[in-house]
Amino acid sequence: MPTLSSLVRRLGVLDPADEEWLHLLVGDWQMLSDLSFADLLLWVPDSDGGFVVVAHCRPSTGVTVHDEDVVGTRITPGQREQVDRAYAEARICRDHDPEWLDGSPVREETVPVVRQGRVIAVMSRDTSLSVPRAPSRLERNYLQCADALARMVSEGAFPHQGAPTGTRRGAPRVGDGLVRLDVEGVVVYASPNARSDYRRLGFTGDLVGRSLAEVTASCLDSTHQVDETLPLVVTGRAPWRCDVESRQAALSLRAVPLLEEGVRTGALVLCRDVTELRRREQELLTKDATIREIHHRVKNNLQTVSALLRLQTRRIESDAGRAALEEAMRRVSTIALVHETLSAGFEEVVEFDDVMDRGLQLIASLAASHGAAGVRRIGTFGQVGAEDATALALVLTELVTNAVEHGLRGGDGRVEVRAERDGTSLVATVADDGAGLPEDFSPHAGGLGTQIVQALVQGELRGSIVWGNRPGGGAEAVVRAELHEPRGDRAPAAVTA
C-alpha cells in the first residue's frame, strides 16, 4: 500500500518541509474528522494540474463515506471543481447541493492546506447525508469546533508544530470528552463524557460558566505532584497535554487553542479518564521492581555460595577435589552474572554480549595459567530472554573452559567465541588453535562439563551441538540453538560477525 511519503515524493511537487507539514496534519486530523462527522481526504497536486489522494481518515463518530481505500486515486483538472477552486483561490469552498456517491448523498467541503502563506494541498471533508442526524447541542458544538479547526488549516495555523498529537498512547480523543472554552478559559460547553470525567475527578457542579482552571484546581490531590504545564492546558493558552490526579481518578487533558487570523478566540480541551490505565502502569512498575529485587537477591545468594566454595577449596588438600570446587565456583559465578544483568534493567532480557564478555574475563586467569594468548568474542549475540540466558551462558563458559584446559594444553594459543544471529536462531562456535580432538573422542564418554553442555543445549536451548577438528588445526564446538523471542525489545533480525 502506498504511503504518504512515497506518494508525495513520487509526485515531486513539494519540498521536504511541505511534506513534514502534511505529516503533522495527518498525525492530528482524526480529531477534525470526528468533530466533522466526515471522511477527510488529502489531495496533493501533480505536475499535470490534477490531484492525487495521499491520505484518508474515517470518522469514529459517524458513517464513513468511502468504504474502499481511496489512497492513490487521481483526478484530472476540472474533474472535482471544488478541489481546483480551493487550491487556486486559497479559500474554503462549500458545495450547497450534495453529490451522489454509490447511491448516497454526500456533502463536500474543500479546505486549502496552507503553510507559510502558500497552498500546498487541499483537504476535503466528505459528509454522508444518508442518515438523518438530529441537531443536538453536542453535534452543533462539534461542528462549530470543526469549522474553527478547518479555518485554522486554511490560515496555516493548524497543525501546531511540536504539540502532542492524538495518535500517542493514552492521548484523549474527541469521543472521550470535550470541553469548549472561551478566550478567558471559561467553559462554554462540556460533552456528557467530559462532565462524567470531572465527576469522577471529584467535581459535582455544573461545568458550564465556570473557569476550568479553578474547577481543576479544586479537585487536585495534594499528595500527587502537579504537572507544571497544567495552567497552560486548562486555560487553553498552549497546545499541550498533561495529566491531573485526585484521590478518586486520573484524567489526561489536551488543549487545542482556537485561532482566528492569529488571535486566540478560545480553546478545545479533550479529556480522558485514565484511572485504570495508571493503575495498571503502577502495577507493572511494582511488578518490575519486585522481579529486579528477586534477581538482585539471587545474585547476592549465588555470590555467597561462591565465597563458601572458595573457603572450602582452601581446606581441601586433594588437587582433584580442589579443581572440582573451582569448576563449581566458575559455574555459580556465571549464573550470578546473568541475574546481576537482569537486576539492572526493567525488561526480562539481557544484552548477552556484555554477559559473555564479563564471563570471558573470569576465564582470563585460567587461560593465562595454561599459556593461552587470549580469549575473544567475534560477532554479536544481541538480546537474549531470561529463560535462555542462564543456559546459554553456562554452555559457552563450559566450552571455553574446556578449550583452554584441554585444547591449548602445553602451548600458546587463542580461543574464539563466534556468534551468528538470525532472529531467534543462533549459531555459536567455540574454536581454538590447539592440537585438536583426539581420534577416540566421544562426547557421550566425556566428563561432567560435557554432559552439562549436552543436556542444556538439547533441553533448555532446543538445539544441537557438534564437536570436530578445524581444517587449519585446532578443535571447535558448534552450538545451534532456537531462542525464545525476547519479551522486551525485539531481537535483531540478522546479526553476524
Side-chain angles (χ1 to χ4, degrees):
M1 178 179 175
T3 63
L4 188 152
S5 294
S6 64
L7 287 172
V8 169
R9 292 169 187 173
R10 189 185 308 166
L11 294 172
V13 296
L14 300 180
D15 59 35
D18 292 336
E19 179 187 334
E20 180 60 27
W21 185 260
L22 296 183
H23 277 290
L24 289 173
L25 175 62
V26 169
D28 214 15
W29 69 349
Q30 184 66 57
M31 172 176 59
L32 179 55
S33 176
D34 291 343
L35 290 170
S36 304
F37 306 98
D39 284 50
L40 301 183
L41 303 180
L42 185 60
W43 300 88
V44 171
D46 61 17
S47 57
D48 298 327
F51 292 86
V52 175
V53 179
V54 298
H56 175 208
C57 181
R58 296 183 177 93
S60 60
T61 54
V63 179
T64 185
V65 171
H66 304 282
D67 292 327
E68 302 297 328
D69 181 35
V70 295
V71 174
T73 301
R74 184 181 184 277
I75 57 174
T76 57
Q79 187 173 346
R80 292 188 68 166
E81 180 184 356
Q82 288 207 147
V83 176
D84 294 334
R85 286 171 51 204
Y87 185 78
E89 301 175 12
R91 67 180 181 87
I92 297 175
C93 299
R94 293 182 173 87
D95 189 1
H96 297 289
D97 297 324
E99 296 183 356
W100 289 83
L101 181 65
D102 295 332
S104 299
V106 175
R107 183 178 64 237
E108 181 186 48
E109 176 183 291
T110 52
V111 180
V113 179
V114 175
R115 175 181 173 270
Q116 294 183 347
R118 298 181 297 109
V119 180
I120 61 174
V122 174
M123 180 183 69
S124 65
R125 293 199 289 176
D126 297 348
T127 306
S128 174
L129 302 179
S130 60
V131 179
R133 190 186 303 275
S136 65
R137 189 181 179 197
L138 180 143
E139 178 178 351
R140 291 196 302 271
N141 277 276
Y142 272 25
L143 293 175
Q144 289 170 5
C145 294
D147 291 342
L149 289 176
R151 185 171 57 250
M152 291 170 61
V153 171
S154 69
E155 295 175 356
F158 187 84
H160 302 287
Q161 285 187 309
T165 67
T167 58
R168 300 188 181 186
R169 179 176 177 270
R173 299 160 296 185
V174 169
D176 295 324
L178 179 142
V179 178
R180 186 178 175 190
L181 305 179
D182 64 13
V183 70
E184 300 297 331
V186 176
V187 177
V188 177
Y189 172 76
S191 70
N193 283 345
R195 296 196 298 270
S196 297
D197 288 342
Y198 266 86
R199 285 196 190 96
R200 284 189 285 271
L201 196 65
F203 181 74
T204 58
D206 188 3
L207 282 173
V208 176
R210 300 289 299 272
S211 167
L212 187 63
E214 294 178 358
V215 169
T216 305
S218 67
C219 300
L220 292 180
D221 183 359
S222 59
T223 62
H224 292 90
Q225 185 176 359
V226 178
D227 194 319
E228 61 183 10
T229 61
L230 178 61
L232 296 176
V233 172
V234 293
T235 57
R237 296 180 181 275
W240 206 243
R241 177 182 159 192
C242 71
D243 290 346
V244 58
E245 293 186 42
S246 68
R247 294 186 182 276
Q248 293 84 11
L251 295 186
S252 178
L253 304 176
R254 183 198 172 190
V256 182
L258 300 179
L259 308 176
E260 187 171 354
E261 297 181 353
V263 179
R264 188 170 61 87
T265 58
L268 305 179
V269 177
L270 304 181
C271 53
R272 178 183 180 184
D273 185 352
V274 293
T275 306
E276 186 64 21
L277 180 62
R278 294 294 176 263
R279 186 186 66 81
R280 292 180 180 177
E281 289 177 349
Q282 187 60 41
E283 287 181 350
L284 289 175
L285 288 175
T286 302
K287 178 182 176 182
D288 288 339
T290 302
I291 292 174
R292 286 188 291 122
E293 178 62 22
I294 290 173
H295 285 305
H296 181 71
R297 293 188 181 187
V298 170
K299 182 262 297 184
N300 288 344
N301 291 339
L302 290 173
Q303 289 179 340
T304 301
V305 172
S306 182
L308 292 173
L309 291 175
R310 187 178 299 109
L311 291 174
Q312 188 66 38
T313 303
R314 296 172 183 172
R315 295 177 176 271
I316 294 180
E317 297 181 358
S318 168
D319 291 340
R322 189 180 302 108
L325 285 181
E326 287 176 350
E327 288 183 2
M329 288 167 48
R330 192 160 47 248
R331 290 163 185 154
V332 170
S333 298
T334 300
I335 300 174
L337 276 178
V338 175
H339 284 281
E340 182 179 5
T341 304
L342 289 169
S343 68
F346 287 96
E347 303 290 346
E348 281 291 281
V349 296
V350 297
E351 294 291 346
F352 199 79
D353 292 339
D354 180 58
V355 173
M356 196 68 246
D357 292 343
R358 295 171 67 185
L360 294 180
Q361 291 178 6
L362 295 176
I363 310 174
S365 59
L366 176 66
S369 66
H370 285 76
V375 183
R376 66 170 181 169
R377 171 180 58 84
I378 301 175
T380 301
F381 286 91
Q383 291 187 330
V384 177
E387 58 267 59
D388 296 324
T390 299
L392 184 59
L394 280 173
V395 166
L396 296 177
T397 301
E398 288 291 336
L399 292 175
V400 173
T401 302
N402 186 72
V404 170
E405 289 183 337
H406 303 289
L408 303 180
R409 181 179 296 174
D412 293 341
R414 181 179 296 276
V415 178
E416 294 180 348
V417 181
R418 182 182 298 273
E420 298 179 29
R421 180 81 178 268
D422 184 5
T424 58
S425 298
L426 170 68
V427 178
T429 304
V430 177
D432 64 68
D433 52 6
L437 297 173
E439 294 183 0
D440 59 347
F441 172 79
S442 173
H444 302 291
L448 177 61
T450 304
Q451 296 176 22
I452 291 175
V453 167
Q454 285 185 305
L456 290 176
V457 170
Q458 296 174 3
E460 299 293 328
L461 299 177
R462 301 158 299 283
S464 62
I465 180 170
V466 177
W467 280 272
N469 287 320
R470 303 171 67 189
E476 67 178 8
V478 180
V479 176
R480 299 181 183 275
E482 191 65 31
L483 306 178
H484 291 96
E485 184 72 31
R487 290 194 293 267
D489 295 335
R490 287 168 45 187
V495 182
T496 58

